[in-house]
Amino acid sequence: GESVGLHLPTLSVQEGDNSIINCAYSNSASDYFIWYKQESGKGPQFIIDIRSNMDKRQGQRVTVLLNKTVKHLSLQIAATQPGDSAVYFCADRSPANTGNQFYFGTGTSLTVIP
Amino acid sequence: ETGVTQTPRHLVMGMTNKKSLKCEQHLGHNAMYWYKQSAKKPLELMFVYNFKEQTENNSVPSRFSPECPNSSHLFLHLHTLQPEDSALYLCASSQASGQGYGYTFGSGTRLTVV
């Protein structure tokens, strides 16, 4: 079955440093990937997405890298701030999935140390 | 506010009670979803509605009963729940049940079954 996992359940970084959160997926047919951020007491919020025809996409302070050869996805956060402390999920989707179903990883909890 | 509103935010219910969770979106989306979020587990898809029609029931026990009266509203009716059903229940919506549309999540209902 589908599995989307994260390499580390927790990550602590110093404020101002860069953060890298990794994710592995198992379905080679996955064509669309999203990173979500979930703060305490809130639902997941969209951060950035990438399609399988790309290997890098940049947003404001965030970059997503996709390596389809090894089925690996990463989220890089530049100059990490205390407000970045949250749980980060990756999600992937395959055209074979019924409807628009995404599969989610278990999440990495990022703590930013002031 | 993400545009997806869930009520109530918190719910405590006994195993013999009947209650309902409500989700509302005014984003013009045509697909709505119920997810269950338990500690240390990936988000579990429960139900998918596309243009008010249920397109997915992910082997959810019958004590959970969804209802989608229109594209903007989604309910989850609960009865005779078990303590292991305690979790955060998240509603999400997307433009359509098709390729490349990410979800917008609500803040969730924290359910405790006693």
Side-chain angles (χ1 to χ4, degrees):
Chain A
E2 176 76 16
S3 75
V4 181
L6 291 151
H7 291 310
L8 292 173
T10 61
L11 176 66
S12 295
V13 297
Q14 291 286 340
E15 181 177 358
D17 287 352
N18 297 334
S19 302
I20 300 176
I21 300 171
N22 296 304
C23 182
Y25 63 96
S26 61
N27 188 348
S28 57
S30 293
D31 65 349
Y32 183 48
F33 305 84
I34 300 179
W35 279 101
Y36 285 93
K37 172 187 180 183
Q38 187 173 21
E39 296 175 273
S40 180
K42 297 184 179 180
Q45 293 177 284
F46 174 96
I47 301 174
I48 191 167
D49 60 357
I50 188 167
R51 299 185 191 278
S52 57
N53 61 352
M54 304 171 70
D55 54 20
K56 181 179 179 179
R57 188 151 191 244
Q58 288 185 290
Q60 190 174 21
R61 282 200 307 118
V62 294
T63 301
V64 54
L65 299 177
L66 175 62
N67 185 330
K68 293 182 289 294
T69 302
V70 295
K71 292 186 285 214
H72 183 269
L73 192 70
S74 69
L75 176 71
Q76 300 178 1
I77 304 173
T80 314
Q81 302 169 359
D84 295 326
S85 293
V87 177
Y88 290 81
F89 296 93
C90 61
D92 74 325
R93 183 202 165 275
S94 162
N97 293 357
T98 303
N100 193 31
Q101 183 175 338
F102 283 84
Y103 288 94
F104 290 81
T106 51
T108 291
S109 177
L110 174 66
T111 300
V112 180
I113 304 165
Chain B
E1 280 298 325
T2 64
V4 178
T5 303
Q6 289 188 244
T7 54
R9 291 296 306 273
H10 301 273
L11 177 63
V12 179
M13 61 185 288
M15 289 189 282
T16 58
N17 291 160
K18 290 184 180 181
K19 297 285 185 184
S20 296
L21 310 185
K22 180 182 177 182
C23 177
E24 187 173 354
Q25 59 92 6
H26 297 289
L27 300 169
H29 290 170
N30 293 306
M32 297 186 77
Y33 312 81
W34 279 116
Y35 274 86
K36 177 183 179 182
Q37 187 175 34
S38 305
K40 302 192 190 308
K41 288 186 177 180
L43 270 69
E44 300 172 50
L45 178 67
M46 300 175 72
F47 301 105
V48 179
Y49 277 83
N50 197 25
F51 291 94
K52 301 187 298 178
E53 298 297 321
Q54 184 176 328
T55 56
E56 182 113 359
N57 175 340
N58 211 24
S59 302
V60 180
S62 60
R63 56 186 184 270
F64 295 91
S65 173
E67 179 189 1
C68 188
N70 55 60
S71 293
S72 299
H73 294 85
L74 185 65
F75 295 89
L76 187 62
H77 303 300
L78 316 171
H79 65 97
T80 59
L81 293 192
Q82 305 298 311
E84 60 264 29
D85 296 322
S86 298
L88 181 68
Y89 288 85
L90 290 162
C91 173
S93 68
S94 67
Q95 283 186 312
S97 183
Q99 266 200 41
Y101 295 113
Y103 297 164
T104 301
F105 283 91
S107 295
T109 294
R110 173 68 63 185
L111 173 67
T112 303
V113 181
V114 297

